[in-house]
Amino acid sequence: MRSATVVLRWDDVQVHPIDDLFAQSDDLTVEAIRYVSPVHEGMYVELLELRGDLERARTLLTESPDAIEFDVVGSGGRGVVYLQCRTAGLVDKLISLLHEHELVLDWPMRYIDTTDSQGLQLTVLGTDEAIRTAASELPNGIHLRLERLGEYRPSAGRLSSMLTERQLELFELAVREGYYEVPRRTTHRNLAETLDISTGTVSEHLQRIEAKLISGYLG
């Protein structure tokens, strides 16, 4: 079984109506889609991971014609939204495409910042042929960047599923060399020399690694 982790970007496409709703508020962010499933009569049930003003989220959902029923739980600016809605937008099309090619989605789908826009990171499991075919049939306006492709290794644990192979290589090196010890026993420059990359790249990768690990822990 193969595993592919990709980042999707989009041009002028409605990814999700509730995302667009929350984007109107500077103090609300959807960080991940934990689950989406069609239920009946064109409705969907979802779990969204949210950061920000949860009371504001409740107000926006109450006023939205797309939200049929909802519940917001959480505290300290972190929460989960249970939602029944009328459309799942692009997310529904992506899930339908995965089902069509018998691919398994490894939840959650996480929103990340790319170079020039926001992207949706997800991991799918299946055969090489199914993964390639599904990637070639993405809706217009959707751009794919492959982050990791390889054999599915369930024994590798959650860490390898959160990081790309390059990030995992750097993180394991940093741990071995004592980067996270107090006091530190190595530097960005030493790590960069070992991997033959720039110190700026090391710094950027470590920031992304730490952000993913913290997000995964809090999630």
Side-chain angles (χ1 to χ4, degrees):
M1 186 190 313
R2 300 286 278 177
S3 168
T5 298
V6 302
V7 171
L8 303 179
R9 294 186 301 104
W10 46 87
D11 297 328
D12 299 324
V13 177
Q14 184 190 60
V15 177
H16 194 292
I18 301 302
D19 292 357
D20 293 345
L21 177 70
F22 289 153
Q24 300 172 19
S25 179
D26 293 334
D27 52 3
L28 280 173
T29 304
V30 178
E31 295 200 322
I33 302 173
R34 291 192 177 185
Y35 186 73
V36 177
S37 178
V39 280
H40 58 84
E41 298 179 358
M43 293 196 304
Y44 297 81
V45 62
E46 309 185 9
L47 287 177
L48 305 177
E49 187 175 321
L50 191 65
R51 182 179 63 187
D53 186 342
L54 301 185
E55 192 56 44
R56 175 64 174 158
R58 293 184 182 95
T59 299
L60 290 173
L61 289 169
T62 300
E63 297 172 350
S64 171
D66 292 311
I68 300 169
E69 221 178 295
F70 69 88
D71 191 15
V72 181
V73 297
S75 61
R78 300 296 296 265
V80 173
V81 179
Y82 164 81
L83 175 68
Q84 292 181 21
C85 56
R86 302 184 191 281
T87 175
L90 172 66
V91 172
D92 175 55
K93 295 179 182 178
L94 292 175
I95 293 174
S96 296
L97 184 63
L98 298 181
H99 287 172
E100 179 182 345
H101 295 286
E102 300 179 346
L103 293 171
V104 176
L105 178 60
D106 188 10
W107 298 97
M109 296 190 283
R110 294 199 172 275
Y111 287 96
I112 63 172
D113 291 328
T114 65
T115 304
D116 54 1
S117 63
Q118 193 178 46
L120 193 62
Q121 183 188 62
L122 59 137
T123 297
V124 297
L125 310 175
T127 66
D128 273 332
E129 181 179 358
I131 291 171
R132 286 196 301 269
T133 304
S136 70
E137 296 178 5
L138 286 171
N140 292 333
I142 303 300
H143 310 283
L144 181 147
R145 184 184 79 221
L146 178 65
E147 288 206 329
R148 181 165 55 88
L149 176 66
E151 290 298 319
Y152 176 56
R153 297 178 296 165
S155 61
R158 189 176 181 189
L159 182 62
S160 63
S161 70
M162 295 172 64
L163 305 180
T164 67
E165 289 185 1
R166 191 58 162 167
Q167 289 173 339
L168 187 59
E169 179 185 17
L170 173 57
F171 181 66
E172 290 177 343
L173 175 64
V175 172
R176 287 198 308 269
E177 297 298 316
Y179 178 80
Y180 291 103
E181 294 184 15
V182 180
R184 285 178 174 166
R185 295 194 291 108
T186 191
T187 64
H188 285 186
R189 177 176 295 179
N190 291 338
L191 296 174
E193 290 176 353
T194 301
L195 295 177
D196 194 25
I197 56 180
S198 71
T199 56
T201 299
V202 167
S203 177
E204 180 181 351
H205 277 329
L206 287 176
Q207 289 179 37
R208 291 182 180 274
I209 289 168
E210 290 157 6
K212 286 183 179 181
L213 296 181
I214 291 170
S215 177
Y217 173 77
L218 292 176

